[in-house]
Amino acid sequence: MIIQSRRVFIAGQFIKAQIEIEDKKIKSVLPYGKEKPDRDYGEDRIVPGFIDVHTHGAYGYSAEEGEPSGIKQWVSRLPEEGVTAFLPTTSPNPKETIIKALKSLREAKDMKMKGAEILGIHLEGPFFDEKFRGANEPDIVLPPSVEVFKEFQAVSGNTIRYITMACEHDKDFELTKYAVKNNIAVSLGHSGAKYEEAVLAVANGVTSFTHSFNAMLGLHHREPGVVGALMASNTFAEIIGDGQHVHPSVINVLFKARNNTKMVLITDSLMAKGLGKGIYEHEGRKIEIDEKGTARILGTDTIAGSSLKINRGIKLLVEEAMVSIEHALLSASLYPAQLIGADKKKGQIVSGLDADIVVMDDDYNVKQTYCLGEEMIR
């Protein structure tokens, strides 16, 4: 199959080009009009497939539930927003619940369902700082432990690729170093680390910061905290692009402080994503989705996640946070791929990589998504 457009996102810029797809891969990237195309998308933008490395659920399904029909729905509908690959993300829970979730997610990954590809698992918690645990219950917090993590990884079938933890509680950075040695990306999050502690965590292998500004020690002129470290470092940094978790002007400041590089757009979405405004049951408690799509614990102002779609997040970055379209697209494709070590297969429109491709109009509506070369939107 050959598709083409006058605006194809290649090497960080838009050019006229056509893409030849064969055997789930990008076979060639050719000059526009060189061969007769099967699909001509005119002025619509052709961009790399989006990768969401931090999402807890959608369409009524949570990563903890383990119901095959639920995750099938999740996988099949993510391409509607341009997501071609993702890391289902566990929530901080009692150890037994996490083990159950990891087992079910491993089984789901092995099923190779049609839709967005499960690249592995993001383990968020239970290795948190108690004060910065966010909307999570205090009894789920555990100190970082190599032995506990080995148990989690064994149950997951070695599919954990990314872990969020409060590294200031990781004695001698033992778990951090163990994870890095085993090619697992470590992200500092739900953390009360002082600036120097955060910098030391980076020196010992931390390569990312989880949902920047949220559930971490903030920036103060006498104690820069985790936020100061993430703004000054050369690591990756997640950002929830819904405009509610982080004000668009602050997103703009963060992109500028980091020279627009290594920013990773995430949704941090919950099971209520795609279900609309209302009250829902999530992990034994009620959450409310407001008219802006933000999830809060019912009756409180505590944010408990989002219902964001990645394509809407890109729109917010560009139109409200004043980030360039090129850098916004990189934050949803190449940088998340690099973060989890998937950039040899995904994240760019390059010959030999997986044919994960999205077609968007100028209002960021997804017109078509190709997952491994197959059209997902009929």
Side-chain angles (χ1 to χ4, degrees):
M1 173 184 283
I2 294 177
I3 65 174
Q4 70 176 18
S5 166
R6 292 181 180 86
R7 291 190 293 176
V8 181
F9 191 60
I10 298 172
Q13 59 193 305
F14 287 99
I15 67 170
K16 295 190 295 183
Q18 63 178 207
I19 303 165
E20 184 179 9
I21 300 169
E22 186 177 286
D23 295 330
K24 303 181 179 182
K25 301 286 186 181
I26 298 171
K27 181 181 179 182
S28 303
V29 182
L30 306 168
Y32 179 84
K34 179 175 175 60
E35 304 290 345
K36 183 179 179 180
D38 298 283
R39 303 279 189 276
D40 188 336
Y41 289 106
E43 296 293 335
D44 286 336
R45 290 180 282 220
I46 295 180
V47 302
F50 307 141
I51 302 170
D52 192 356
V53 299
H54 192 153
T55 169
H56 298 278
Y59 306 104
Y61 176 83
S62 289
E64 278 70 27
E65 291 179 19
E67 175 58 45
S69 62
I71 198 164
K72 184 177 182 181
Q73 170 90 334
W74 192 9
V75 165
S76 67
R77 295 200 61 182
L78 280 176
E80 294 173 12
E81 63 192 82
V83 172
T84 56
F86 72 114
L87 296 184
T89 304
T90 61
S91 298
N93 275 297
K95 182 179 173 182
E96 298 74 21
T97 304
I98 294 174
I99 287 173
K100 179 182 176 182
L102 294 172
K103 182 179 179 181
S104 65
L105 291 172
R106 179 199 70 200
E107 292 170 351
K109 184 178 186 299
D110 291 342
M111 290 169 66
K112 299 186 183 301
M113 293 170 283
K114 179 179 177 179
E117 182 179 356
I118 298 174
L119 296 177
I121 297 170
H122 176 181
L123 182 75
E124 188 183 16
F127 309 129
F128 286 174
D129 178 82
E130 187 169 332
K131 182 179 178 182
F132 289 88
R133 67 181 189 275
N136 306 291
E137 298 296 333
D139 60 352
I140 59 86
V141 174
L142 293 177
S145 163
V146 173
E147 292 310 309
V148 172
F149 180 76
K150 283 181 177 179
E151 186 177 356
F152 287 157
Q153 186 68 311
V155 170
S156 79
N158 294 310
T159 58
I160 297 173
R161 296 186 69 167
Y162 188 39
I163 177 173
T164 289
M165 64 176 170
C167 296
E168 70 272 21
H169 298 301
D170 184 15
K171 187 176 183 298
D172 297 327
F173 298 103
E174 290 178 356
L175 179 53
T176 302
K177 291 184 284 190
Y178 175 84
V180 172
K181 184 179 178 180
N182 287 276
N183 299 313
I184 300 162
V186 179
S187 189
L188 183 61
H190 289 273
S191 167
K194 307 295 187 184
Y195 178 79
E196 287 80 7
E197 291 175 316
V199 171
L200 282 174
V202 171
N204 280 279
V206 163
T207 56
S208 181
F209 289 81
T210 296
H211 42 51
S212 298
F213 300 104
N214 289 276
M216 60 177 58
L217 187 62
L219 179 68
H220 187 276
H221 59 284
R222 285 190 291 271
E223 173 46 70
V226 181
V227 170
L230 83 87
M231 294 183 76
S233 72
N234 192 36
T235 61
F236 294 93
E238 295 181 358
I239 194 73
I240 305 173
D242 63 355
Q244 304 301 310
H245 282 78
V246 182
H247 192 280
S249 65
V250 178
I251 296 176
N252 176 277
V253 169
L254 181 59
F255 268 79
K256 285 180 177 177
R258 298 172 57 83
N259 198 29
N260 295 303
T261 62
K262 294 188 176 182
M263 293 298 303
V264 176
L265 177 64
I266 62 166
T267 64
D268 197 12
S269 66
L270 300 183
M271 50 74 67
K273 171 177 171 172
L275 302 183
K277 180 181 176 182
I279 297 172
Y280 303 95
E281 188 83 17
H282 176 65
E283 296 180 2
R285 59 188 172 187
K286 293 187 182 299
I287 60 169
E288 183 174 15
I289 302 293
D290 65 20
E291 64 279 354
K292 295 181 179 180
T294 305
R296 288 182 171 84
I297 297 175
L298 185 64
T300 77
D301 290 328
T302 302
I303 295 179
S306 85
S307 58
L308 179 68
K309 296 181 179 180
I310 283 280
N311 61 316
R312 297 294 103 187
I314 293 171
K315 181 176 182 178
L316 181 133
L317 291 184
V318 176
E319 298 189 355
E320 296 186 44
M322 299 297 114
V323 174
S324 73
I325 180 64
E326 291 84 3
H327 290 127
L329 289 171
L330 289 170
S331 77
S333 55
L334 178 60
Y335 294 148
Q338 290 177 336
L339 167 58
I340 61 172
D343 52 309
K344 300 299 182 184
K345 295 179 63 179
K346 299 181 183 292
Q348 300 183 82
I349 295 176
V350 170
S351 175
L353 270 61
D354 290 346
D356 290 348
I357 297 166
V358 178
V359 183
M360 287 197 311
D361 66 18
D362 281 346
D363 197 36
Y364 306 90
N365 298 308
V366 174
K367 307 291 286 293
Q368 185 57 267
T369 299
Y370 295 84
C371 291
L372 297 176
E374 183 177 358
E375 293 176 321
M376 294 289 114
I377 299 175
R378 302 296 181 182

